[in-house]
Amino acid sequence: MADQIFHVFRGDANGGDLKEYAVPPMEGMVVLDAIHYIQAHHDGTLACRWNCKAAKCGSCSAEINGKPRLMCKTRVDEFHGASITVRPIKVFPLLKDLVTNVSWNYRVNKEIPPFTPAPEAPGAPPWRMAPVDVERLFEFRKCIECFLCQDVCHVLREHNGTDRYYGPRFMVRIAAMEMHPKDTLSRADLLKGKGGIGYCNITKCCEDVCPEGIHITDNAIIPLKERVADDHFDPWRALLRRFGGRKEPRGT
Ligand code: SF4
Ligand code: SF4
Ligand code: FES
């Protein structure tokens, strides 16, 4: 079998270009294997980020033939011998080759108040979670915190909006807490303000690339938008939720 041809971005914030590499075919090869082969046999200075090689850490996010994907989950044979282009994700500043500066995620994470359950009353019976809540939250808990949905979000990517919108990944994170029946906080003010949820216009591009198939807009962003609207434009409903202890999402 002929070698598989890869075009991999080499460069840094000052510029760069695609470089061609030939990689011998290997049974079951994924794009990350090819990158490791290039590092081992062609150029050890090629920079890439990875960790689990099991589609669970999100570190190997890259643009493969123009689409954000996990390098460790992308089989080479699906391209049927055509050349494969690998570029860094565009949404974050480039450091070197396939590695970008993703520190913005750590900053945003710190701005989001964590899960805050009410203290257990002494002697209270064990709390049981309704299956419907388990199912709803399980979808959000599948998020591997990669960078794929962020890379296609036009607010973050085309409009350089990391200063005004938290983006889809953090909408999923916030939804997981906001919709937890035990959580006592409302993050509606944060979502409306610094979180910038109003900038999302529900294009659903983020859903198309999510490796976990999370319905980011339908199940996270739209219900969060409804919460923000209630809190700001329907004070009666907001009061009911606050004093009635309701945490279940709307529209279900
Ligand atoms: S639906 Fe919202 S979060 Fe998702 S890509 Fe579009 S603007 Fe971004
Ligand atoms: S929602 Fe999906 S695409 Fe976005 S960070 Fe989580 S797993 Fe990745
Ligand atoms: S290396 Fe962890 S998701 Fe690819």
Side-chain angles (χ1 to χ4, degrees):
M1 264 175 88
D3 285 353
Q4 171 70 48
I5 301 301
F6 284 84
H7 294 97
V8 182
F9 179 85
R10 305 300 310 271
D12 55 26
N14 298 315
D17 216 342
L18 294 172
K19 289 232 163 86
E20 184 172 308
Y21 301 98
V23 177
M26 288 176 264
E27 174 101 35
M29 178 165 62
V30 292
V31 171
L32 185 61
D33 291 326
I35 295 297
H36 286 161
Y37 182 93
I38 294 166
Q39 287 177 321
H41 297 91
H42 292 303
D43 187 349
T45 68
L46 168 60
C48 90
R49 191 183 275 127
W50 70 286
N51 198 343
C52 68
K53 203 173 179 275
K56 285 295 165 216
C57 75
S59 308
C60 67
S61 302
E63 294 186 7
I64 300 171
N65 282 5
K67 187 174 177 190
R69 301 182 69 170
L70 298 176
M71 289 195 284
C72 70
K73 201 183 177 185
T74 305
R75 292 273 298 238
V76 167
D77 56 11
E78 75 175 74
F79 298 93
H80 306 293
S83 77
I84 298 173
T85 301
V86 188
R87 293 177 182 272
I89 51 170
K90 199 177 162 194
V91 67
F92 297 120
L94 180 64
L95 292 175
K96 184 176 185 302
D97 302 335
L98 301 177
V99 176
T100 53
N101 181 349
V102 295
S103 56
W104 175 79
N105 290 279
Y106 298 98
R107 289 201 300 278
V108 171
N109 215 24
K110 282 189 190 151
E111 291 173 7
I112 299 171
F115 176 65
T116 309
E120 290 289 334
W127 180 74
R128 290 188 203 286
M129 198 159 169
V132 66
D133 288 326
V134 173
E135 200 176 318
R136 180 184 299 121
L137 297 178
F138 179 68
E139 179 181 21
F140 304 139
R141 296 299 294 268
K142 286 194 301 180
C143 175
I144 62 167
E145 302 188 341
C146 66
F147 310 108
L148 303 188
C149 58
Q150 298 173 315
D151 196 45
V152 289
C153 178
H154 67 99
V155 183
L156 301 181
R157 178 181 171 132
E158 310 300 339
H159 303 290
N160 205 16
T162 48
D163 60 341
R164 52 196 180 278
Y165 179 41
Y166 281 172
R169 165 173 155 178
F170 289 105
M171 293 300 127
V172 170
R173 176 162 162 67
I174 292 174
M177 295 186 286
E178 279 292 300
M179 295 182 197
H180 196 296
K182 275 258 182 181
D183 184 77
T184 54
L185 298 184
S186 167
R187 296 163 188 82
D189 286 344
L190 178 70
L191 283 165
K192 185 170 187 289
K194 223 167 173 188
I197 194 170
Y199 283 100
C200 169
N201 54 2
I202 326 270
T203 53
K204 293 198 185 189
C205 319
C206 46
E207 290 197 2
D208 289 344
V209 299
C210 177
E212 292 294 331
I214 299 170
H215 296 101
I216 303 169
T217 43
D218 285 348
N219 292 349
I221 297 177
I222 292 173
L224 289 177
K225 276 177 176 276
E226 287 173 355
R227 277 169 184 265
V228 171
D230 281 358
D231 276 22
H232 289 271
F233 306 111
D234 190 346
W236 175 241
R237 219 167 153 171
L239 273 176
L240 263 183
R241 191 179 67 247
R242 225 158 260 167
F243 294 110
R246 293 175 55 230
K247 286 295 286 184
E248 75 276 18
R250 280 54 181 275
T252 55

